[in-house]
Amino acid sequence: RCYRYLKKNKPYIKSRYCRGVPESKIRIYDVGNKAANVDLFPFVAHLVCDEKQQISSEALEACRVAVNKYLTKNIGKDAYHIRVRAHPFHVLRANKMLSCAGADRLSSGMRHSYGKPIGVAARVNIGQILLSVRAKDAHEKFVIEAIRRGKFKFAGRQKILKSLKWGFTKYPREVYVEKRRNGELAADGNQVKVHNRRGPLEKSVLYQTGME
């Protein structure tokens, strides 16, 4: 059975009513140098879905492994940070059929045909980001090639987009550089913190630099 297409029904998630769901194949969503400072990796590329569909946890894991393997081999394991952005919560069911000899005597056919859980999938929309990779500008071509290789693990159509933003932040590059320089933004691991403009003036970076 094809589990790729989204039916018109609601997401069917693991709950106290839907028990015995197999574990998702993908358990690690961040790989590479995930603790790298936000200033270290300015370049970021995304794998964006171009169809409304379901992507199984097996496919997400296969993509993560393929991208990780290519980048480790070509630029080293500390030179990038991969983040899988689609999470599989939707439970897939199958009405198990016997295929042995004399199965027609044993199986009940389409009676009580509500299936048993066989796996999980992520429901994705057009334009949704499936995977993001941040690295240095010098490694741009390797990142794009790695994502291209990971793309083959998915059904349907995807696009590779180069982001105009700095790393995994929400700020465009020029804005980011300007705000970091004048103290409005402070590095906080692989993200940035915005100065909240509270506290004593003598401790305020903005006040010291004459911004306020």
Side-chain angles (χ1 to χ4, degrees):
R1 187 172 155 203
C2 177
Y3 290 100
R4 171 181 158 192
Y5 296 107
L6 268 172
K7 307 290 184 288
K8 289 202 169 64
N9 48 10
K10 295 174 186 165
Y12 180 65
I13 59 164
K14 182 178 173 181
S15 66
R16 59 186 178 173
Y17 311 111
C18 171
R19 296 179 300 275
V21 177
E23 278 297 321
S24 166
K25 287 286 184 294
I26 181 166
R27 302 303 299 275
I28 303 166
Y29 290 87
D30 281 79
V31 268
N33 191 358
K34 50 183 183 273
N37 192 292
V38 66
D39 294 330
L40 193 60
F41 296 147
F43 175 75
V44 62
H46 304 297
L47 180 61
V48 179
C49 189
D50 208 24
E51 293 187 26
K52 196 178 168 84
Q53 63 179 38
Q54 293 180 163
I55 294 175
S56 69
S57 64
E58 289 87 349
L60 288 168
E61 173 67 3
C63 176
R64 182 188 70 83
V65 169
V67 174
N68 191 36
K69 189 172 281 182
Y70 182 83
L71 288 177
T72 305
K73 185 178 165 187
N74 287 282
I75 62 176
K77 66 180 190 334
D78 289 330
Y80 63 90
H81 174 195
I82 302 167
R83 179 173 285 168
V84 179
R85 306 269 292 271
H87 288 244
F89 292 117
H90 178 72
V91 178
L92 303 173
R93 298 189 311 265
N95 177 26
K96 295 257 172 65
M97 293 286 193
L98 294 171
S99 57
C100 55
D104 50 338
R105 293 159 187 270
L106 303 170
S107 69
S108 54
M110 288 302 282
R111 287 182 193 165
H112 304 299
S113 59
Y114 193 82
K116 293 271 189 295
I118 57 161
V120 283
R123 291 160 73 95
V124 293
N125 271 314
I126 296 171
Q128 186 173 331
I129 297 174
L130 302 175
L131 174 123
S132 301
V133 183
R134 66 184 181 119
K136 292 181 175 168
D137 285 325
H139 297 144
E140 179 183 324
K141 65 173 188 180
F142 295 111
V143 169
I144 286 173
E145 173 59 17
I147 295 176
R148 190 190 71 82
R149 288 175 179 224
K151 205 167 69 152
F152 294 121
K153 307 297 177 190
F154 297 136
R157 184 169 53 182
Q158 293 82 29
K159 289 183 174 164
I160 300 168
L161 299 184
K162 286 196 287 187
S163 177
L164 298 174
K165 298 191 165 53
W166 184 288
F168 289 162
T169 66
K170 63 180 181 180
Y171 301 99
R173 286 191 173 213
E174 301 76 36
V175 176
Y176 176 86
V177 171
E178 185 190 329
K179 284 180 182 286
R180 280 288 276 135
R181 197 169 284 145
N182 62 32
E184 270 186 78
L185 296 176
D188 183 28
N190 57 29
Q191 271 297 337
V192 280
K193 277 194 300 197
V194 183
H195 195 292
N196 63 10
R197 292 176 162 76
R198 294 197 182 92
L201 286 177
E202 61 269 13
K203 288 186 183 172
S204 168
V205 182
L206 296 179
Y207 185 70
Q208 307 290 349
T209 52
M211 287 292 295
E212 301 226 313

